[in-house]
Amino acid sequence: ELRMSPLVTGVDFVSVPTQDLDAAMEFYGDVLGLPRSSMWQRPGHEPVGAEYETGTVTIALMACEPLGIEFRPQCVPIALRVDDVAAAREQLESRGVEFRGETIDSGVCHQALFKDPDGNLLDLHHRYAPRS
């Protein structure tokens, strides 16, 4: 039985670095179809971030340069939960998304890896095996 930490009670958001906030917002909003819940900007300045909701964890796009952060794309995937990896992959491919190799069957889940416009690694993920 898993026991929850008395200190950490959840994950509120994961940060995703971007060099082009407009292109990233188009990808996460239009291509992936995630609803945008907020934008961050200082008064009189360009936006420096935007948040997209997945249903469990918020994806926070962060414009690295104006925030003084060195841009480096994430090379480990954020697993995006879907009901059917094959169907989701087909839908994203029809929107121009290119996947890295074939869909993976790990024995407990299906996964399909792809990148956002900044090169951040993402993963369509569906666990089909019950947790033991």
Side-chain angles (χ1 to χ4, degrees):
E1 173 188 326
L2 283 175
R3 289 183 35 205
M4 301 310 287
S5 163
L7 179 64
V8 177
T9 61
V11 174
D12 289 331
F13 67 91
V14 294
S15 300
V16 175
T18 182
Q19 299 178 99
D20 184 339
L21 185 58
D22 289 336
M25 290 190 318
E26 181 180 332
F27 182 80
Y28 285 85
D30 298 340
V31 177
L32 293 183
L34 298 175
R36 187 175 72 210
S37 58
S38 72
M39 287 192 64
W40 318 332
Q41 69 187 96
R42 299 179 194 115
H45 291 83
E46 292 291 313
V48 294
E51 294 183 353
Y52 288 83
E53 300 306 322
T54 68
T56 51
V57 174
T58 300
I59 292 177
L61 303 176
M62 302 184 84
C64 291
E65 187 177 334
L67 291 170
I69 299 168
E70 180 186 349
F71 173 79
R72 271 184 276 167
Q74 294 183 7
C75 61
V76 292
I78 295 173
L80 303 172
R81 184 185 310 152
V82 296
D83 291 330
D84 181 330
V85 171
R89 178 178 178 144
E90 187 176 311
Q91 191 171 24
L92 291 183
E93 285 175 332
S94 77
R95 296 176 188 167
V97 173
E98 293 182 22
F99 283 80
R100 297 180 53 182
E102 298 302 313
T103 296
I104 300 160
D105 183 342
S106 72
V108 296
C109 63
H110 292 127
Q111 300 182 73
L113 298 167
F114 63 104
K115 291 183 178 182
D116 76 4
D118 285 289
N120 295 297
L121 192 58
L122 300 170
D123 177 15
L124 295 179
H125 180 266
H126 176 79
R127 182 182 179 96
Y128 57 80
R131 296 196 182 272
S132 51

